[in-house]
Amino acid sequence: MSTASQVATHLPPADPAHPADPAHPAVGAATSLLDSYTPGDHFLATPGRTLLAHGAARQVPHDARPLDERVNATLAEAGAAGQESPVVIGAIPFDHEAPAALSVPAALRIAPPLASDPLIALPAEMTGSAHWRIRPVPEPGVYGASVAAAVERMWRGEFSKVVLARTLELTSAAPLDLPGMLQRLARRDPAGHTFALPTGPGRTLIGASPELLVSRQGKQVIANPLAGSTPRSTDLAEDVRRAAALLESAKDLHEHAVVVDAVHQALAPHCTELTVPARPTLIRTATMWHLSTTVTGTLASPDISALTLACALHPTPAVCGTPTTTARRVIAETEPFDRGYFTGMVGWGDARGDGEWVVTIRCAEAEERTLRLYAGAGIVAASVPEAETAETAAKFRTFLSAVGAEL
């Protein structure tokens, strides 16, 4: 039996709410995969498992068929060719019509989640150049003006929400240290979703997302939409005050409710049972507080894959806006760049339909000596340009800290 099929038949639990038993952690199993990553590999760590893939036995083709059909066909072909328990892994862009970077790896190693490995608490070394040339696209003032223009259009009734993003282009005189960046991202938020995935020759999508779009294990479905955010503070009392204020913010609660309702509406046709909590809770990353709701359900049919559900959900109002068609048009008119894989999806899926798909945020696209960082904010009628610009700056900090750069 091949290495890939050996590990693929012993997947750890896929449920983010029930990771490996913390009382019996597998010391070094997950961090050894993190330490083994080299550029060109597929690395994905979730609250359910850690995956490291090498090579590509098969690429998912780009054609007129729906994405989930192409993935299912590729997995079936891999199985028919003798690959036992094949898995697809990779990245899907914000624009579903654009080519995805998905493949069935030639070799796959799987371990328990990083958060269950005590060695993840060891600090990562800061290696490589800390000297960066930083260019914002657009400039913060231009971004703020775009927010103000969107708010004005909302007051005229054209749409109710749009997510507007901006980027930072970082250029280094030295080659990029992708393994070092990945180490620092993973060790800073080991309970999140950390990834480094090739998206083309010499290109890597790297990041640490807090947001699970959807997971499926058997008939169990979990979605964890996040919407409504505030930057954290290094002062404990102020940090607690900000968290409490976020839970009472009418603007953020409304923004969150719109996203949760959209997730509910997208999942309901596929489920016999669906549980949606009445009020959100809070989750935190190293830099942000987010309003969070965990939606759980039972599938009506075992034929509905995690990727099918992800495609039904994406893009949620948390990364696009509402109405979706109008928000997409406003994004295209306003943002002076192509989002690429930002606010798309990264994840894995198997031939049984199980899988985990994560919203691609807190990320950067790396190529040669250049990083392009992305951050967005949900704009509603009550938005203030200065506050939304500050929110995106806070979101940039996740990645800036991983490369030793400052705005």
Side-chain angles (χ1 to χ4, degrees):
M1 185 182 294
S2 69
T3 302
S5 56
Q6 281 182 336
V7 292
T9 56
H10 296 90
L11 289 174
D15 181 355
H18 301 88
D21 182 0
H24 301 88
V27 177
T31 50
S32 69
L33 298 191
L34 178 63
D35 295 341
S36 298
Y37 166 80
T38 59
D41 290 342
H42 291 74
F43 180 89
L44 176 64
T46 76
R49 58 184 52 77
T50 305
L51 303 93
L52 179 66
H54 307 278
R58 292 176 183 272
Q59 297 284 352
V60 175
H62 179 65
D63 56 40
R65 291 173 296 170
L67 179 60
D68 54 347
E69 289 186 15
R70 286 181 272 141
V71 166
N72 289 341
T74 304
L75 288 168
E77 291 166 4
Q83 187 167 354
E84 193 171 339
S85 303
V87 171
V88 70
I89 186 170
I92 299 167
F94 175 67
D95 180 359
H96 283 193
E97 301 299 317
L102 296 171
S103 63
V104 176
L108 176 64
R109 298 163 60 192
I110 301 176
L114 286 174
S116 72
D117 189 336
L119 297 184
I120 197 64
L122 297 175
E125 294 182 8
M126 179 62 74
T127 59
S129 172
H131 301 289
W132 296 93
R133 181 165 55 86
I134 302 177
R135 184 172 75 94
V137 179
E139 292 286 344
V142 175
Y143 178 79
S146 297
V147 171
V151 168
E152 183 178 345
R153 292 176 67 177
M154 279 183 262
W155 281 110
R156 295 201 301 261
E158 294 185 36
F159 51 93
S160 56
K161 177 183 177 179
V162 67
V163 177
L164 294 180
R166 64 188 184 103
T167 73
L168 295 178
E169 292 183 356
L170 275 63
T171 305
S172 171
L176 299 180
D177 176 21
L178 293 180
M181 293 178 200
L182 184 66
Q183 286 276 350
R184 290 186 289 277
L185 288 167
R187 292 178 186 277
R188 194 174 194 198
D189 283 310
H193 309 84
T194 306
F195 51 90
L197 303 165
T199 54
R203 296 196 303 275
T204 300
L205 178 69
I206 183 170
S209 172
E211 185 169 4
L212 172 70
L213 182 63
V214 67
S215 71
R216 197 207 92 161
Q217 183 179 25
K219 284 196 168 185
Q220 183 185 34
V221 176
I222 300 175
N224 184 206
L226 308 181
S229 308
T230 194
R232 297 193 61 190
S233 172
T234 55
D235 178 79
L236 178 59
E238 174 61 16
D239 196 43
V240 171
R241 187 199 68 77
R242 291 183 185 183
L246 182 61
L247 275 174
E248 300 300 325
S249 166
K251 167 190 173 291
D252 290 289
L253 288 170
H254 172 70
E255 181 183 344
H256 187 80
V258 169
V259 177
V260 172
D261 183 63
V263 169
H264 186 180
Q265 296 301 320
L267 290 180
H270 302 290
C271 296
T272 56
E273 298 177 9
L274 200 61
T275 301
V276 183
R279 284 186 60 85
T281 56
L282 288 172
I283 69 165
R284 64 186 178 187
T285 67
T287 59
M288 300 294 295
W289 286 104
H290 299 281
L291 292 178
S292 165
T293 295
T294 300
V295 178
T296 57
T298 302
L299 280 180
S301 168
D303 297 329
I304 304 167
S305 72
L307 183 56
T308 299
L309 295 171
C311 291
L313 286 164
H314 185 269
T316 71
V319 297
C320 182
T322 186
T324 303
T325 302
T326 305
R328 276 189 179 276
R329 187 174 67 248
V330 174
I331 289 169
E333 294 169 352
T334 305
E335 295 178 354
F337 52 85
D338 182 350
R339 285 194 177 188
Y341 292 92
F342 173 63
T343 61
M345 302 179 274
V346 297
W348 69 272
D350 64 22
R352 295 169 299 185
D354 288 345
E356 297 171 285
W357 295 95
V358 178
V359 183
T360 314
I361 51 178
R362 310 296 189 277
C363 66
E365 289 188 289
E367 185 171 12
E368 297 181 351
R369 303 186 181 201
T370 300
L371 288 169
R372 170 169 277 191
L373 281 59
Y374 297 86
I379 312 304
V380 294
S383 291
V384 177
E386 293 77 11
E388 305 299 347
T389 304
E391 179 177 320
T392 55
K395 290 174 177 176
F396 280 132
R397 291 212 312 269
T398 295
F399 212 99
L400 290 172
S401 66
V403 300
E406 293 184 6
L407 279 177

